[in-house]
Amino acid sequence: MLVLGIETSCDETAAAVVEAGRWRESPIPLKMRMLSNIVASQIDVHSKFGGVVPELASRKHMQNIVPVILQALSCAGITLDEVDGIAVTQGPGLVGSLLVGISVAKALAYTRGLPIAGVNHLEAHIYSNYLEHKDLEPPFISLVVSGGHTELVYVGPGERQYEKLGQTMDDAAGEAFDKVAKLLGLGYPGGPIIDKLSKEGDAEAIPFPRPYVWNHSLNFSFSGLKTAVLNYVLREQEKENTVNPADVAASFQAAVVDVLTEKTLRAAEMKEINVIALGGGVAANSALRKQLTQRCEELGYKLYYPTEAIMCTDNAAMIAAVGCSLISGGEDHDLLLDTDVYKTIHTGPIENH
Ligand code: KG4
Ligand code: ZN
C-alpha cells in the first residue's frame, strides 16, 4: 500500500510517500517504509516578522503545494496512478493553512477515487518514531514538544490508543524557545538558534526558574520562564551590564530541558513504563536528547526519538504513516473531511492498566 501524505498545518508545505505492508497479521507497529519526504520551508517568508504570519503562510502553501506533491511522487519513483490512499493533516493548526492541504487532498481523492484520511498532527509526531524505530511498540510514554504543543501522552496498550497525562498551561516549549530568541534578537525559528548558541554558553550562569517542576501534576508552564528571561535582560541593561546571549540561551535551555526531563520521567514512573519516545520540533534539541539519554541510561529505560531533525519538525511522512494505519484499517473520511483546528490527542483514559 502506498500512501501520499500532505502536511500544511503551519509554515511547512510538505508531501511524502510511505509504503506499508503486512498490517493485518503484523503486530504493532505497522511495517512502514518512507519512499520520499519533501518539505518546502517558509522560514524566509516569516523570519522578518519574528513568527508565522497566518495569511502569508496560506498563500505560500497555495504556491508550493502542487510542486511539492509532484516532487514527492517523483522522488518516490511513482506516479499518482500507483497511490492507494491520501493522508492529510486535519488539525491542530492554522485554519487557512490546513484548508490548502485538505482541499488538494480532497480534490485528489475525488478525481482518483481514493480513500482519504484526516490525520491528527500530534499523533503524527508520535508516529514519526515508528518510521525509523522498527522495534518501538506501545505501551510507551511520549513527550510531544513542538511550537504549538507540549504534551505528555501514554501511548497504548494498543496501537492508536492514547491517554493525555499532561500539557502546557500556557506557552508551548517551542514557542518559549522562539519568544526568548526573539527577545534576544537572535532570529526565527528560535529553537535551533538557541540550541546552537547554547553550546558556547554557560548553562549555570543564570539560575532561571524551573516552572512546575516539583508540583504533582504532569502539566507544564513556560510563560513565567520567558518573563524571567526578559526581566533578567532588562535588569542587566538597566545596570549597564553586558548581557552574554550565549549564557542566557544556555541557562534558559537548561531550565526547559530540566522541566521536560523530570516530568517525562515522572510520567514513566507513574505509569510503570520504561520506554519513552520524543516527537515534535523540540525533540531535535541536543541538550534535551543528551540529558534524557543520560537519565534513561541510569534508569535502564529505552529512549527513542527521530534521529534526523527533519523527522522531528513538521513533515508529511509522519502524516502518511498515520494514514497507512487508518486507511489499512478501512477508514475513509470521505469528501466531508473538514479542518479541525483544535484537534487534540485525548481519546480518554485507558482501562485495565
Ligand atoms: O513540530 P514543529 O515543526 O511545528 C509545530 O508543530 O509546532 O516544531 C517547531 C518548533 C519551533 O518552535 C522551533 O523553534 C522548535 O520546534 N525547534 C527546536 C529545535 N528545532 C526546532 N527547539 C529547540 N531546539 C531545537 N533544536
Ligand atoms: Zn508539528
Side-chain angles (χ1 to χ4, degrees), residues 57-93:
S58 315
R59 293 181 193 194
K60 207 67 195 160
H61 284 311
M62 289 184 62
Q63 282 175 354
N64 288 344
I65 189 70
V66 172
V68 163
I69 289 173
L70 292 177
Q71 202 181 336
L73 293 170
S74 92
C75 281
I78 63 163
T79 66
L80 208 44
D81 293 336
E82 291 164 82
V83 171
D84 298 299
I86 312 279
V88 63
T89 308
Q90 189 179 15

Side-chain angles (χ1 to χ4, degrees), residues 7 9-12 92 121-122 125 144-149 172-178 188-196 253 279-288 309 312-315 318:
E7 150 67 33
S9 66
C10 191
D11 60 340
E12 325 275 8
H121 182 90
L122 299 173
H125 274 305
V144 183
V145 261
S146 70
H149 291 82
E175 189 181 355
F177 271 96
D178 295 339
Y188 175 85
I193 301 170
I194 287 186
D195 191 349
K196 193 163 166 225
Q253 179 175 269
V282 184
N285 186 266
S286 58
L288 178 64
C312 294
T313 50
D314 291 348
N315 66 85
M318 66 183 193

Side-chain angles (χ1 to χ4, degrees), residues 309-336:
I310 190 180
M311 297 305 292
C312 294
T313 50
D314 291 348
N315 66 85
M318 66 183 193
I319 305 298
V322 181
C324 287
S325 173
L326 288 168
I327 294 167
S328 67
E331 285 206 47
D332 181 0
H333 295 149
D334 73 37
L335 299 174
L336 293 175

